Amino acid sequence: LNGHRSSSGDVARTKILLLGLRRAGKTSVQQVLFNNLPPKQTFYLETTIRIVKHAVDTVIPLEIWDCPGNVTVETLGIPLSQISTIIFVIDIRDLYNQPISKLVEFIVAADQENPNIGLEVFVHKAEKLQDDDKIESFRQIQERVSDRLLDISPDYEQIQLNFHLTSVYDHSLHEAFSRVLHKLVPTLPYLEELLNVFCANSQSPKAFLFDIRSRLYIATDASPVDSATHNLCCDYLLMLNSFGPLYKSIGPGRQRQVSPLTPPPSASSSTLRSSPSLSSSGKTSPPTTPTASTRDTASRKHGKELFYPSAATSLHPATPGTTLTYHLITPYLALLALLPTNVYEGRRGLLEYNVVFFREGVQEVCETEREARGGG
Amino acid sequence: MRKKVLLMGASGSGKTSMRSLIFSNNPASLTARLGATIDVEQNHVRFLGDLILNLWDCGGQDAFMDSYLTTQRSTIFQQVGVMIYVFDVETREMNKDLEYYRDCLDGLRQFSPSASVFLLVHKMDLIREPRQPSFEKKRKELQDASGEGTVSVFGTSIYDESLYKAWSNIVHTLIPNASILSKHLTTFAVACNATEVILFERTTFLVVATSSTLPDIPSTASSLGSDTTDGEDARGLDPTRYERTSELIKAFKYACSRVREEFHSLEMELYDFTAILAEMTRNTYVMVIVHDPTIETAALKLNVRMARRKFEELQGDSVAL
Ligand SMILES: Nc1nc2c(ncn2[C@@H]2O[C@H](COP(=O)(O)OP(=O)(O)OP(=O)(O)O)[C@@H](O)[C@H]2O)c(=O)[nH]1
Ligand SMILES: Nc1nc2c(ncn2[C@@H]2O[C@H](COP(=O)(O)OP(=O)(O)O)[C@@H](O)[C@H]2O)c(=O)[nH]1
Ligand SMILES: [Mg+2]
């Protein structure tokens, strides 16, 4: 039906703006999430002086705009109507007027040009403060923003503004960005339903569909997300991503015959990696010979012939114990699920069957999404 | 069997930090809270079989150092298996550090002439790339200060795998018959059709022995991980894979402990290889790496189960002398 697409240049990308004063941490957010920059290395980032657009391919194609601190609605270059979400980054210690004025300016403009725009505020570098101060500063920033908005017009009481506490040094950034992303994925209800079905059929108390490279979760089942489980899944993915290249043989070895297409290298520049030891630990899944493409409808129909990496780690040697499983679903996405260890060990066949069913469902949803964007 | 390990170096050089990473599974971020060590903190760590490491973390403030070298001299320096001397790469008092270091060497010569000496150029993460030239310069300086004796110099940082490389080498010198373990691991690897088998100590995840090559016994006494080729085999596996594996597993173990879970085992079927990581004996974990795609993790797990007894026995032997 549809041919291969080597370049996705003309795909309609969902645009996300990263705004905020200089040194608020915008570039750090972008680099840590999408370029696997180790958090400590953000120290060496230089000030952004022009808008830098980063194409990110995940369940939906994104374009993240890393903006310099002095950008305004006028100098942005495109109308806000073309933007899906604004993420405004404020340093948590920056309680003064300047960042808040800037934020309010954008909110007012967005409200006029594009009332549907997503408005997210990352109260950033949160790990710098002790818990009490952190909560207090977080509250004050929210209060000041809403006071300023109400001064302008009482109508702003209705406006939907989401605040998140974030830091590149822990998982809060990943969790916050995941929540931002969820609002942008039109097929989210279908993915959630597939996860619900998977959980019910596999006795899994919790399952996530993760974007492999960024470690953002795209969807999860209906049970509530607790941060501890989310963090553990993020760490697990980080470990698996790092193992891949570590034992990859470059000598003449036997390869898996068929494997789904691996994602192309990230579109964003990677010149910032300066430390070999630190940056290599951030490398993602191993590149491989792209012998078949899941984007290709024909090969997808023969999905069973493809090799999909998987992994499992058992926690708690005691019964019942928990096993954390990993199954590649598409070139970008992986299913991470918690399972009772006895289910994992005793009912492997059933589990594999449920994974195949889930995979086919997700691939179909992704295909539909791609076609809707005119990209596939 | 007990082995005494001295941790020496100026105050703030990072001795307690590295001890808390390697032996207590704490993350690097928590080390900022450590206070200066007062006098000597002794720890016993059951390492392998009957091998007990007796760690002496010696607080590095001048007053303590002076006392180690005088009134406490024989207590500190007798029956030492290994002395690890830590130098902060950014120290502004290198001459003073070297002077204390030379005095400690004298103490060792007097009371434990057969002790091995490891020098760690620590906090390498503070040096901007390329790090190799600054490291080489330090290494030369330290070698000159060490006189005749052979010393091994490693560049380390608590923020990357280099610490595991150095410590794996250190404990390796304390396991008398590691080569026998290694021989049997090789046999085991052949039985599994494995590319490589690695034996880790259970709590530290330091490398005890490997099937193909031993953790390099530092003969050239230089190592920084970034450009060394030791450990690289014909298949071109990553030369830093052992220490990186230690680091990755330790980080994941810590992640598990934060959610009050305990890491138990791991299996992976990835594009290029299949691997399992499982308990081998009471105090070791084994990692089996296979590049043959026809071999299943279940078969590997079975092999490990069957090899357990043998390794339990061997391990007892290897340290009993
Ligand atoms: N950048 C960096 N800092 C480190 C490293 N290792 C330790 N530190 C920091 O160095 C400081 C001092 O570390 P300690 O471990 O207490 O030093 P110590 O050698 O035990 O000092 P005394 O007990 O007084 O002898 C801590 O704030 C650590 O966080 C490292 O590899 N890199
Ligand atoms: N403590 C802390 N520092 C951060 C965090 N995120 C970024 N930074 C630091 O903030 C500084 C400015 O970051 P940068 O991304 O260049 O800001 P930008 O100008 O908004 O793009 C850098 O020194 C980063 O290391 C964080 O979560 N915590
Ligand atoms: Mg100390």
Side-chain angles (χ1 to χ4, degrees), chain A residues 220-335:
Chain A
T220 183
D221 66 295
S223 68
V225 177
D226 79 294
S227 292
T229 309
H230 166 262
N231 296 352
L232 185 65
C233 289
C234 275
D235 287 323
Y236 184 44
L237 205 48
L238 180 64
M239 175 176 73
L240 291 175
N241 284 347
S242 312
F243 262 125
L246 208 50
Y247 290 91
K248 177 180 159 56
S249 161
I250 52 171
R254 280 201 271 166
Q255 273 264 334
R256 308 272 181 198
Q257 304 84 339
V258 206
S259 46
L261 183 73
T262 31
S266 175
S268 33
S269 91
S270 54
T271 47
L272 290 152
R273 292 182 178 174
S274 50
S275 144
S277 55
L278 289 171
S279 67
S280 56
S281 64
K283 269 184 206 150
T284 48
S285 344
T288 184
T289 19
T291 43
S293 158
T294 46
R295 294 179 167 207
D296 191 63
T297 323
S299 68
R300 188 170 57 77
K301 293 231 169 82
H302 300 106
K304 287 180 195 81
E305 289 166 28
L306 299 174
F307 171 77
Y308 288 98
S310 63
T313 182
S314 77
L315 310 173
H316 251 318
T319 45
T322 302
T323 293
L324 187 54
T325 60
Y326 162 98
H327 287 93
L328 194 73
I329 299 299
T330 78
Y332 303 117
L333 306 178
L335 171 70

Side-chain angles (χ1 to χ4, degrees), chain A residues 12 18 27 44 64 80 91 93 115 159 193 197 210 212 266 288 320:
Chain A
L18 279 171
T27 307
Y44 300 112
I64 314 254
L80 289 175
D91 186 322
R93 296 158 305 173
I159 205 151
E193 193 45 34
V197 170
F210 266 94
I212 300 165
S266 175
T288 184

Side-chain angles (χ1 to χ4, degrees), chain B residues 12 14-17 19 34-38 41 57-60:
Chain B
K15 304 177 290 296
T16 309
S17 302
R19 179 165 67 94
L34 293 170
T37 307
I38 304 304
E41 261 178 45
D57 178 355
C58 306

Side-chain angles (χ1 to χ4, degrees), chain A residues 40 228 235 244 247 250-251 254-256 259 274-278 281 309-316 328 344, chain B residues 125 129 159-160 235-236 244-245 255 258-259 261-267 269-274 291-293:
Chain A
K40 277 198 86 177
D235 287 323
Y247 290 91
I250 52 171
R254 280 201 271 166
Q255 273 264 334
R256 308 272 181 198
S259 46
S274 50
S275 144
S277 55
L278 289 171
S281 64
S310 63
T313 182
S314 77
L315 310 173
H316 251 318
L328 194 73
Y344 177 74
Chain B
D125 59 283
E129 299 280 354
Y159 293 104
D160 62 37
R235 283 167 173 270
R244 292 274 311 281
T245 300
R258 269 189 319 193
V259 297
E261 292 276 9
E262 195 186 323
F263 171 76
H264 184 56
S265 69
L266 173 66
E267 57 189 79
E269 289 185 15
L270 304 184
Y271 285 120
D272 303 282
F273 65 91
T274 300
H291 283 84
D292 178 345

Side-chain angles (χ1 to χ4, degrees), chain A residues 242-243 245-248 275-283, chain B residues 132 154-155 160-166 168-169 196 198 200 205 207 210 213 215-216 223-233 236-249 287 289:
Chain A
S242 312
F243 262 125
L246 208 50
Y247 290 91
K248 177 180 159 56
S275 144
S277 55
L278 289 171
S279 67
S280 56
S281 64
K283 269 184 206 150
Chain B
Q132 194 65 21
F154 288 87
D160 62 37
E161 76 282 359
S162 57
L163 192 66
Y164 291 93
K165 184 184 177 97
S168 283
N169 275 272
E196 177 157 68
I198 309 159
F200 297 96
F205 263 89
V207 177
T210 65
T213 41
D216 48 322
S223 177
L224 193 61
S226 54
D227 72 343
T228 47
T229 51
D230 46 324
E232 186 160 8
D233 61 32
L237 294 178
D238 190 323
T240 64
R241 64 192 177 282
Y242 302 137
E243 53 269 22
R244 292 274 311 281
T245 300
S246 302
E247 189 200 15
L248 287 171
I249 302 292
M287 179 139 167
I289 312 280

Side-chain angles (χ1 to χ4, degrees), chain B residues 11-17 31-32 36-37 59-60 122-123 125-126 157-158:
Chain B
S11 182
S13 60
K15 304 177 290 296
T16 309
S17 302
T31 60
T37 307
H122 193 55
K123 308 194 187 180
D125 59 283
L126 298 177
S157 162
I158 55 172

